[in-house]
Amino acid sequence: MTAQELLAELPAGLPIGDGWVTATQMKPVRFPYDGSTVTEAPWGSSDDAEAAVKAAHDVAEQMANLPGHARRRVLMQVAADVRALAGSLAELLVLETGKPLVDCRVEVARTLVTLETAAEEVGHLTGETVALDMQPAGEGMVGFWIRRPIGVVVGITGFNYPLLLAAHKVAPSVAAGCPVIVKPAPNTPLATLVLVDLFRRAGCPAAGVQLVTGGVEVGKILTTHPYVAAVSFTGSAKVGHEIARAAAPRKVLLELGSNAALVIGRDADLDRAAEAVVRGGFYASGQACISVQRVIVEEPVREALIERLQPLLEAVTTGDPRSADTRVSALVDEASTERVHSWVDRAVAGGARCLAGGTAQGRVLQPTVLVDVPEDAECWSEEIFGPVVCIRSVADMDAAVATVNRSRYGLQAAVFTRDLAVALDAVRRLDVGGVLVNEVPGFRADNMPYGGVKDSGIGREGPRFAMEEFTVTKMVMIRP
C-alpha cells in the first residue's frame, strides 16, 4: 500500500465524538522538499475543540472502567496494524515532514516499541500497602493506595516526529484509562490521523481517542477547558511556558527544547567521538531536540577531532528524502531554513569559523559545522533545530561541565571518555535529565524515563512514566 492509498482509506473529516465530523475548512499539507501538495487535510475550529472535550468528558467513566485486558488488547492490535502498515507509514512521514526515509523508518519502529511497551505496562499499574500503625491512632487499620485515571488528557505534538510523539501521548493515556484528545502540529497531521483511526478500529471507545487540528484558538480551548485534567505538550520552550501559565491548575507535562551538548575528554576515543558528532548532529536533518548541537572538546584534542570530522562530513548524503541514501534533506518549511541560515551567518559574523556547509542547495541546508562559536550566538545558546553543529574547546572537564550547565536548557547530554570516574562525575554534575556516556545525546529508548530540567521541561515520558503522570494516587484506609 502506498502513502496515498493509506490516506484514501481514512474517513473524511476529524475524529471527534463517536464519528468523524466534517471540517469547515481544508488546508494543504506540503512536501517540504519541493513544496508540492501531498493532500488537503481537515482544519478544525473552536467549536470542534469544544465538542471534542465534551465528548471526552462524557466517555471518561467508560474509559476508566475498561478492564486491563481490554486496554491491553487495543494497544496490541494497534501495534499489529502499525507493523503491517510500516512501509506506507514511513512513506507518509517522508511526505509530510520532509525527513529522510531512513529516519522515518526508525520513527515507525520506535512507535511500535511505544505501543507494545504501553500494552505491557497496563498490568503494572499498581499501588502499595501503607503501614498506618506507625502512629498509635492507626493501630488495627489497613491502608493501601491505588492509582486511578486522572481524566481527560490533551496531547499536543511537534512536527518532527508526528507519529511517535502522538503515540507517546495516546498509548499511555489509553493504558491508564484516560480519554485523550490529540492536536498535531498544523503542517504534519496525516500520520497522526492514521494512528487515531487505528485506535478506533481496534475497539477503543471512539470518543476515547480524538483528534482536532487547528490554530491557536483550538489550542487555547483544549488547554484551558475545565473538563481537561492534564496537558502533555511537546514543542518549543516559549509555547510551553505560555501553555503552563494558561492551563493552571491543570497538570502540565512539558517536553521542550534543547541545545544538546556532547563533551569530548582528552582521553576519549576520537574516531568514535567524531563519528558520533556527525551521526548525532545530522539525523532527521538536525530537527530533533536532542541532536548534537554543541560539541565541547578539551583543548589538547581539539585539532585531532576536527581532522577526523572532515572526511566524515564529506560522506553525508544530502538531497531527496525519499532516497534511502539521503541523510540530510529540507527542513519542514522555508521559514525554518531561512532562520537557521540567518543564525549561521550571524555566528560567522560574530567570529565563528565555518568548517563545512553554511550554504543551501535548493531547499536543503548543507550539513554545517562551526568552530569557535561565541556563547551568546543563537547557534550556541538557543535550539537551532537544523543540521548545524557548533564546536568550542575548553581547558578541562570542569570547564566543560560548567559550559554545558550555563545553558538555560537541560534535556540530555553526552560525555566521551575512557575514565569511569570522569564519566560518573559528569553524571553527577551535569544539570540535565539524561546523561549518555560514549554515545550521542540523541539516543532515546522509548521505554525509558525521558524529559528534562530547566527550560527543557517538566515531567517524564515513556509509557510507564507517562502513565504515572496520567493517574492520581488514591489512598484507602480501612478500620475493620
Side-chain angles (χ1 to χ4, degrees):
M1 180 185 295
T2 67
Q4 292 295 344
E5 290 169 339
L6 181 61
L7 291 175
E9 290 193 351
L10 273 179
L14 291 168
I16 296 174
D18 291 330
W20 290 71
V21 175
T22 301
T24 56
Q25 188 178 359
M26 302 290 285
K27 287 199 172 185
V29 176
R30 302 194 185 279
F31 180 33
Y33 182 65
D34 62 14
S36 61
T37 298
V38 178
T39 189
E40 297 277 325
W43 186 254
S45 65
S46 298
D47 289 342
D48 293 326
E50 286 278 0
V53 175
K54 183 180 184 303
H57 175 73
D58 290 344
V59 82
E61 184 175 356
Q62 182 185 356
M63 288 290 292
N65 290 333
L66 277 179
H69 67 82
R71 285 176 275 142
R72 182 179 183 276
R73 183 177 64 248
V74 166
L75 289 158
M76 291 302 292
Q77 182 60 57
V78 175
D81 293 339
V82 167
R83 189 181 301 279
L85 296 170
S88 51
L89 280 169
E91 180 187 342
L92 180 59
L93 288 167
V94 171
L95 293 176
E96 67 174 332
T97 68
K99 198 165 57 180
L101 177 60
V102 63
D103 297 307
C104 292
R105 287 171 173 166
V106 170
E107 179 174 357
V108 175
R110 290 180 57 190
T111 299
L112 279 168
V113 172
T114 304
L115 292 164
E116 292 168 350
T117 302
E120 294 169 2
E121 290 295 338
V122 171
H124 299 154
L125 195 61
T126 57
E128 294 181 8
T129 58
V130 179
L132 297 179
D133 60 358
M134 292 301 290
Q135 58 191 58
E139 290 181 20
M141 294 183 69
V142 176
F144 59 92
W145 57 266
I146 59 175
R147 300 198 70 85
R148 295 294 296 161
I150 196 170
V152 177
V153 174
V154 167
I156 302 176
T157 61
F159 69 81
N160 55 331
Y161 283 83
L163 183 66
L164 178 62
L165 294 176
H168 271 290
K169 313 299 184 189
V170 177
S173 297
V174 171
C178 298
V180 57
I181 305 166
V182 185
K183 182 182 183 296
N187 45 359
T188 56
L190 303 178
T192 313
L193 277 164
V194 173
L195 182 68
V196 170
D197 183 45
L198 293 179
F199 267 93
R200 290 175 159 220
R201 292 174 185 266
C204 185
V209 181
Q210 302 177 81
L211 182 149
V212 185
T213 53
V216 174
E217 70 286 351
V218 168
K220 183 176 181 180
I221 290 172
L222 293 178
T223 55
T224 62
H225 199 288
Y227 284 168
V228 172
V231 177
S232 179
F233 170 79
T234 300
S236 71
K238 178 182 177 182
V239 176
H241 294 171
E242 294 171 355
I243 287 174
R245 286 191 292 268
R250 291 150 201 83
K251 188 169 191 177
V252 176
L253 310 175
L254 302 174
E255 199 277 279
L256 306 179
S258 178
N259 52 0
L262 187 153
V263 175
I264 301 174
R266 67 187 67 203
D267 68 331
D269 180 334
L270 293 182
D271 291 326
R272 190 174 172 188
E275 184 276 333
V277 169
V278 175
R279 172 167 53 91
F282 302 124
Y283 75 95
S285 302
Q287 294 178 120
C289 51
I290 46 178
S291 64
V292 175
Q293 182 173 333
R294 298 183 295 159
V295 175
I296 302 165
V297 56
E298 287 196 74
E299 183 64 40
V301 295
R302 162 197 163 107
E303 293 307 318
L305 173 71
I306 290 174
E307 287 177 8
R308 286 165 169 80
L309 287 176
Q310 299 268 15
L312 297 176
L313 291 168
E314 293 171 2
V316 177
T317 304
T318 65
D320 192 327
R322 292 168 293 193
S323 169
D325 296 327
T326 298
R327 292 299 178 266
V328 173
S329 189
L331 300 186
V332 70
D333 54 35
E334 290 184 320
S336 296
T337 303
E338 291 170 2
R339 175 189 58 78
V340 172
H341 210 164
S342 69
W343 284 16
V344 169
D345 289 344
R346 286 202 287 270
V348 171
R353 175 166 62 93
C354 188
L355 183 69
T359 61
Q361 291 184 2
R363 293 172 177 256
V364 181
L365 185 66
Q366 297 302 294
T368 299
V369 175
L370 303 176
V371 181
D372 298 329
V373 180
E375 283 200 51
D376 61 353
E378 297 106 324
C379 283
W380 185 270
S381 61
E382 298 299 327
E383 180 178 43
I384 196 161
F385 232 62
V388 179
V389 171
C390 303
I391 300 175
R392 287 181 63 88
S393 57
V394 293
D396 53 31
M397 193 59 68
D398 287 340
V401 170
T403 301
V404 174
N405 289 345
R406 277 197 293 273
S407 173
R408 68 187 181 101
Y409 296 111
L411 190 44
Q412 293 195 163
V415 178
F416 275 72
T417 177
R418 290 185 172 98
D419 190 325
L420 182 59
V422 170
L424 293 178
D425 184 61
V427 168
R428 179 179 62 84
R429 296 167 61 197
L430 287 171
D431 194 9
V432 295
V435 179
L436 293 103
V437 178
N438 297 328
E439 183 51 275
V440 295
F443 175 85
R444 176 184 178 184
D446 291 281
N447 59 335
M448 76 183 198
Y450 175 74
V453 298
K454 300 189 287 187
D455 273 2
S456 287
I458 55 175
R460 292 294 180 267
E461 284 193 340
R464 170 188 168 187
F465 307 95
M467 288 166 67
E468 292 176 357
E469 303 279 11
F470 296 156
T471 53
V472 294
T473 301
K474 179 174 285 188
M475 186 64 206
V476 181
M477 295 152 284
I478 301 172
R479 188 177 293 280

